Amino acid sequence: MSKVRRTRLWRWRSNPLRRHADVVEAWIVLASWTGFALGGAVVGTVTARAADESLSQARAKRHSVEAVLVESTASSVTDTEGASDSAVWAKVRWTGSDRSIHTGRTMVDAGHKAGATVLVWTDRKGNLTKEPATATEAAVETGLVGTVAALAVGGLTLGAGRIARWRLDRKRIGQWGREWKQVGPQWQRNTT
């Protein structure tokens, strides 16, 4: 039994059996993998930096303010599956940076009585907002967003390369069929 030896980069080497379609396929494979590696890395990095900048701006625009609970909060809320949530919606009152009094509803820890002091987050206009992502949460989110963007671009690039190779294969099969129609009858006469 003979062992099959695989030759690397055979499409690039000079060979009398190498067809033009083989060279085209070699360029398609090279372009696909280059696009996957470089395009994915560039898009992933750019996307991660943009996400990090956006989250940094959100952290800079929000600040914490002490507020007073206007109403008591329940000790905890239990859903239908028995899970407990330690944060509930409650009405709070706080003083804005312009010394005006504001009221609104926000999520606070459960189990406080009216008049208790809680920490809430506001934007530059003094409107209630949710707490910004911490530096660690932002790092995880930017890493995830960058990875997803890199994989999406890489996947699209490899997919486009695969479609191009599929079309090339269809063209080669058609060419082979046309050539066989010319040569096949000559072989049949010699074998019968």
Side-chain angles (χ1 to χ4, degrees):
M1 180 186 252
S2 68
K3 189 174 183 179
V4 176
R5 183 172 166 230
R6 296 192 71 130
T7 305
R8 293 180 186 230
L9 304 173
W10 67 271
R11 288 180 183 94
W12 296 99
R13 293 184 178 168
S14 181
N15 181 339
L17 298 177
R18 183 181 70 182
R19 300 165 292 188
H20 175 69
D22 296 329
V23 175
V24 171
E25 183 177 22
W27 282 106
I28 290 170
V29 169
L30 179 66
S32 296
W33 283 102
T34 301
F36 174 78
L38 294 179
V42 168
V43 168
T45 302
V46 169
T47 304
R49 285 185 181 173
D52 187 46
E53 180 66 26
S54 175
L55 291 171
S56 294
Q57 287 177 2
R59 279 195 307 273
K61 291 179 181 177
R62 298 176 188 174
H63 59 281
S64 60
V65 175
E66 286 189 357
V68 176
L69 278 174
V70 175
E71 59 192 19
S72 296
T73 59
S75 59
S76 68
V77 176
T78 305
D79 66 11
T80 57
E81 296 174 358
S84 178
D85 189 6
S86 63
V88 294
W89 285 98
K91 190 173 185 179
V92 294
R93 181 179 61 244
W94 73 98
T95 305
S97 58
D98 60 352
R99 301 288 181 215
S100 61
I101 303 295
H102 301 275
T103 59
R105 294 185 70 75
T106 189
M107 294 292 284
V108 297
D109 290 335
H112 294 289
K113 295 189 182 227
T117 303
V118 293
L119 195 63
V120 297
W121 290 87
T122 61
D123 59 15
R124 290 184 176 165
K125 295 179 183 177
N127 299 322
L128 286 174
T129 185
K130 65 180 188 175
E131 181 178 358
T134 64
T136 303
E137 292 169 341
V140 169
E141 189 172 340
T142 57
L144 183 62
V145 167
T147 301
V148 168
L151 291 175
V153 167
L156 287 173
T157 303
L158 289 179
R162 186 66 197 123
I163 289 170
R165 288 178 66 198
W166 174 77
R167 292 189 65 187
L168 185 62
D169 284 343
R170 300 294 299 163
K171 185 177 178 180
R172 281 191 282 215
I173 290 170
Q175 183 181 8
W176 185 38
R178 287 188 300 277
E179 290 172 359
W180 184 251
K181 282 183 184 177
Q182 293 173 355
V183 175
Q186 295 172 3
W187 283 30
Q188 287 178 347
R189 277 182 277 181
N190 293 336
T191 59
T192 55

